[in-house]
Structures are given as C-alpha cells and as structure tokens.
Amino acid sequence: MSNTQQAIIAGGCFWCTEAVFRDVVGVSEVESGYVGGTVENPTYKQVCSGTTGHAEGIRVTFDPEVISYAEMLDVFLGTHDPTQLNRQGNDVGTQYRSAIFPLDDTQRAEAEAAIARANEDHGGKVVTTIEAPVKWFPAEDYHQEYWEGEGQRNPYCQATIPPKLLKLRKSFQNKVKQGV
C-alpha cells in the first residue's frame, strides 16, 4: 500500500474496536491508544480512572483506493452503539465515548456526513462527537493485537468482541478481508 491514510476513532473499549478493524479490507495497521486528553503519555490505569480526558481509541492505517474514509466511518458507526453517551455496554466513563478525531478539514466534513447518515438509521440519537485533532499516545504493548492473544482467554472479550465481528460480517460483507 503506497498511498495510505490514517483515521483515529474511539468507540468504547479499544480491544473491541481494534478487533473489528483488523478484519476490514484495505486496513494495513491498527494501533490501540489514547486520544483526546490532557495528560502526556498516560498509562492504561490513568485513562481507566476517567480523570485524564482521554478516550480509548484506535489509529487505523488504510488504503483509500480499497476503502474510503467515509466507508471506514460507516463501518465504525455500524459496529458499535453510537447512541450511548460515554459508554459501550458495561464500560462506562468518558474514556469509552464514541468519537471521531479528524486529521484535516476533509476528514471533518466526512465525519459530519457519516454522523448524519448514522442519525438516519438511529432516529437522530447519535451522540458520537467530532473532536479536534489531538496528540496520539500508543497504548502499552500488551494492548496491541489483544484479541489475537490474551483476549481469547478474557471473559469480557469473549462476550463483547464476537458479536461485533458478526455485525461486521453481516452488515459490511464486502468490507471484510477474505479468509477471516
């Protein structure tokens, strides 16, 4: 992939969002991390406390000739619940908010359009925010590719990730990598 772009999104637990986007066509890299807060180089423990202002997010590197930024956002908004304010299921707090962090004005316009499309599907109840582009902090190594390793033995992940992957496969069949 010579012509790649990046997207930064937050949709609850980053383990769940990362697992979904690892299976999306055109995606070459997914990194879990922290975005949107006030503390430099926060730790997982600090972010989980809800006091840093960060969200658990992912930074996705993708090929726009395979999947557009708009399509990435549609997958994002279609594989988590964008109507839950500061939570996803049992994960509660601003660190689990649904947010898009556009990296330029073009991405901001696409984010606004994606939220408008999602609002049509959700009766105008989408609470996903569009936040200013901010500094990205990669999460600790043990959070990267979590579902592929430790997550398979984690009861929380066992309960939350498979339904998201099923939704990806059902709602976005043409956006799923072959063989996954």
Side-chain angles (χ1 to χ4, degrees), residues 10-12 73 76-89 91 93 96-100 114-129 164 167:
L73 294 178
F76 167 64
L77 292 163
T79 54
H80 80 289
D81 186 347
T83 68
Q84 291 192 357
L85 183 62
N86 297 328
R87 73 177 300 152
Q88 283 296 298
D91 290 331
Y96 302 113
R97 67 187 178 271
S98 176
I100 301 167
I115 289 172
R117 288 190 300 274
N119 262 321
E120 289 176 15
D121 294 337
H122 294 285
K125 296 180 181 169
V126 171
V127 296
T128 303
T129 57
K164 289 178 182 284
K167 193 167 191 177

Side-chain angles (χ1 to χ4, degrees), residues 139-166:
E140 297 85 346
D141 286 346
Y142 70 92
H143 292 295
Q144 309 303 330
E145 300 178 28
Y146 191 80
W147 175 240
E148 286 83 4
E150 183 66 27
Q152 297 288 321
R153 296 178 295 282
N154 180 316
Y156 166 82
C157 292
Q158 289 283 331
T160 57
I161 293 176
K164 289 178 182 284
L165 294 173
L166 184 61

Side-chain angles (χ1 to χ4, degrees):
M1 288 187 216
S2 57
N3 180 29
T4 61
Q5 292 182 9
Q6 289 190 321
I8 299 176
I9 51 180
C13 167
F14 51 27
W15 298 335
C16 300
T17 314
E18 177 188 277
V20 167
F21 277 87
R22 286 197 175 282
D23 285 358
V24 173
V25 296
V27 171
S28 59
E29 185 178 346
V30 183
E31 180 180 53
S32 290
Y34 313 114
V35 62
T38 58
V39 174
E40 288 286 315
N41 296 308
T43 65
Y44 182 63
K45 185 175 181 179
Q46 288 173 312
V47 172
C48 285
S49 75
T51 60
T52 68
H54 290 90
E56 288 190 14
I58 61 169
R59 181 168 62 180
V60 182
T61 303
F62 65 99
D63 182 344
E65 293 181 19
V66 178
I67 185 168
S68 69
Y69 183 71
E71 291 169 320
M72 294 278 293
L73 294 178
D74 289 344
V75 169
F76 167 64
L77 292 163
T79 54
H80 80 289
D81 186 347
T83 68
Q84 291 192 357
L85 183 62
N86 297 328
R87 73 177 300 152
Q88 283 296 298
N90 292 330
D91 290 331
V92 179
T94 57
Q95 67 271 31
Y96 302 113
R97 67 187 178 271
S98 176
I100 301 167
F101 298 85
L103 301 175
D104 58 31
D105 290 340
T106 302
Q107 283 192 356
R108 176 171 288 282
E110 290 286 357
E112 291 168 356
I115 289 172
R117 288 190 300 274
N119 262 321
E120 289 176 15
D121 294 337
H122 294 285
K125 296 180 181 169
V126 171
V127 296
T128 303
T129 57
I130 299 173
E131 300 186 25
V134 291
K135 195 163 183 183
W136 172 258
F137 300 99
E140 297 85 346
D141 286 346
Y142 70 92
H143 292 295
Q144 309 303 330
E145 300 178 28
Y146 191 80
W147 175 240
E148 286 83 4
E150 183 66 27
Q152 297 288 321
R153 296 178 295 282
N154 180 316
Y156 166 82
C157 292
Q158 289 283 331
T160 57
I161 293 176
K164 289 178 182 284
L165 294 173
L166 184 61
K167 193 167 191 177
L168 171 69
R169 286 168 179 73
K170 183 178 178 188
S171 300
F172 302 96
Q173 294 173 2
N174 64 337
K175 300 298 177 213
V176 178
K177 290 178 179 173
Q178 295 298 316
V180 293

